Amino acid sequence: MPPPSKTPKRAALAVLALLAVTACAARPGESATEGGLAADAPLPTAVPKGTKLIVGDPQTKVALQLSGEIDTFSFTVEWANLSGGPQTSEAFRADALDVGAVAEIPAIHATWTGLPVKIVASKFRKDPIEHPTYELGIAPGVSVRTLADLRGKKIAYSPGQAQGALVLKVLEKAGLTKDDVTFVELPSTGDVYPNALASKQVDVAPIGGVNIKRYTAKFGRDGATTIRHGLRDDPGHLYVRTATLRDPAKAAAIREYAAAWARAARWVHEHPKEWIEGYYVKDQGLTAADGQYLVDLAGEPDIPADWSQAIARHQETIDILAAETGNPPLQAEDLYDLRYQAVGAEAIKDGAQ
């Protein structure tokens, strides 16, 4: 059959049709539209030439550089130097980001604020109680040895962030409510919490990472201490806008990135010396001793092929936050795209690098 003649009218109609499909697929936050990848359709595995992802995951970027995998993607990665829920959600709304790396709270708050998102990768810690992300910093001169001692204390609270959710869980475990303590709203960024403790602006604050070590080293002589809360606080996720997953090319590229993300986490655990020198010392400006402390604190990553337990724990967090904030309860499973469930585990199966 001979090719159809390309009349100006037909060409114009073709361009209009293409623009319509592109607009339907690209606008963030819209409901599902015709022409996009259905939410229950199998994930495409081939990434078309010319595909690009904008990724806000600085730590994984360094891990991929150190492992040598950063230049092996079948698509273009544009790295965005941002992290955390607020920055990531802002970038999503501006259509300036495809993938973000966060803990468990941002996906909840994004949904409550009208930004549909999905979790596409999850990792945890194999011994989360012995390897907590946060400890409770206790101000100099304040006596808190058990969670029950939190009654009557001033506690740093950051709504919408992982530390804020942890405070609510800790109170629940202690059999206390927010009426039994005084919340002091502070952003949990940088060294805000350690400084608030040292100045006795608050009595208790969840502090994480190297701040745990530095807080007691700097203020221990004045009576500063920390205690462990005994709860899981280890979730780490990749999440994306639901609208992004309707683009078959990006959905396939996200699958490839999720696999690389899992391998990067495994590489970090198996190459601690290279990670300490390449990331903590050269990239973050920490000492080698601080880097070793953080490696020991993190322990071994757990990247499950079945998210059912993680979803159940996420539901508990949602229920606590909904009760506190007055937002409607969500179904945790609705926050996850289960098509990606086994991608990370398969990527590191049998120690594959």
Side-chain angles (χ1 to χ4, degrees):
M1 178 181 295
S5 61
K6 297 182 180 179
T7 64
K9 182 177 180 181
R10 288 186 179 181
L13 289 174
V15 170
L16 288 174
L18 178 61
L19 289 174
V21 171
T22 303
C24 288
R27 291 173 187 164
E30 289 184 349
S31 59
T33 57
E34 293 181 5
L37 183 69
D40 58 353
L43 286 176
T45 56
V47 182
K49 186 177 180 180
T51 302
K52 182 179 82 169
L53 288 183
I54 307 174
V55 179
D57 191 1
Q59 185 167 310
T60 297
K61 176 187 177 182
V62 176
L64 293 170
Q65 287 173 329
L66 295 173
S67 71
E69 191 173 350
I70 196 164
D71 294 322
T72 65
F73 290 110
S74 65
F75 55 91
T76 300
V77 180
E78 179 181 324
W79 297 98
N81 189 24
L82 56 82
S83 59
Q87 282 189 338
T88 301
S89 289
E90 183 179 347
F92 280 160
R93 293 184 190 280
D95 198 16
L97 189 70
D98 293 311
V99 181
V102 293
E104 66 175 346
I105 308 304
I108 301 171
H109 279 274
T111 303
W112 275 335
T113 56
L115 178 64
V117 295
K118 291 287 186 181
I119 290 168
V120 294
S122 296
K123 66 181 176 182
F124 306 91
R125 296 180 176 185
K126 285 200 171 180
D127 191 351
I129 304 304
E130 288 302 313
H131 297 277
T133 303
Y134 303 101
E135 293 188 14
L136 298 181
I138 312 301
V142 174
S143 178
V144 174
R145 297 186 178 181
T146 69
L147 298 187
D149 296 332
L150 294 175
R151 185 185 296 274
K153 302 299 188 293
K154 294 183 296 182
I155 302 179
Y157 181 65
S158 52
Q161 296 183 288
Q163 294 92 326
L166 177 62
V167 166
L168 296 176
K169 292 179 182 180
V170 166
L171 292 179
E172 182 179 64
K173 181 180 179 181
L176 302 174
T177 71
K178 64 178 183 179
D179 294 330
D180 296 313
V181 301
T182 299
F183 281 168
V184 179
E185 287 198 16
L186 293 170
S188 54
T189 54
D191 56 1
V192 171
Y193 278 9
N195 288 339
L197 288 165
S199 65
K200 299 185 181 179
Q201 184 179 357
V202 296
D203 300 318
V204 180
I207 52 178
V210 74
N211 277 333
I212 300 171
K213 174 176 179 283
R214 289 179 173 178
Y215 175 63
T216 52
K218 188 174 183 180
F219 301 109
R221 69 185 67 181
D222 301 321
T225 60
T226 67
I227 66 169
R228 290 193 169 182
H229 49 72
L231 295 167
R232 292 197 71 150
D233 62 359
D234 60 330
H237 303 296
L238 294 180
Y239 77 141
V240 304
R241 291 174 298 167
T242 302
T244 302
L245 295 173
R246 292 201 297 275
D247 182 331
K250 287 187 181 288
I254 288 167
R255 177 178 184 160
E256 186 177 327
Y257 184 77
W261 178 80
R263 288 192 295 271
R266 193 71 216 169
W267 185 92
V268 166
H269 175 68
E270 294 174 351
H271 299 81
K273 290 183 179 179
E274 294 95 324
W275 181 240
I276 290 169
E277 178 62 23
Y279 180 65
Y280 289 123
V281 175
K282 291 185 177 179
D283 189 80
Q284 296 294 296
L286 303 179
T287 66
D290 284 344
Q292 186 64 59
Y293 170 81
L294 291 170
V295 165
D296 294 340
L297 186 65
E300 184 175 358
D302 175 29
I303 301 175
D306 183 340
W307 289 347
S308 56
Q309 292 184 16
I311 290 171
R313 293 194 299 268
H314 212 156
Q315 187 67 57
E316 293 174 0
T317 300
I318 290 170
D319 294 343
I320 289 173
L321 289 177
E324 168 63 25
T325 63
N327 283 299
L330 306 172
Q331 292 301 309
E333 187 171 1
D334 293 341
L335 299 180
Y336 290 75
D337 191 326
L338 296 178
R339 296 175 298 177
Y340 291 88
Q341 182 171 220
V343 171
E346 288 294 325
I348 60 171
K349 193 175 182 180
D350 300 324
Q353 295 296 306

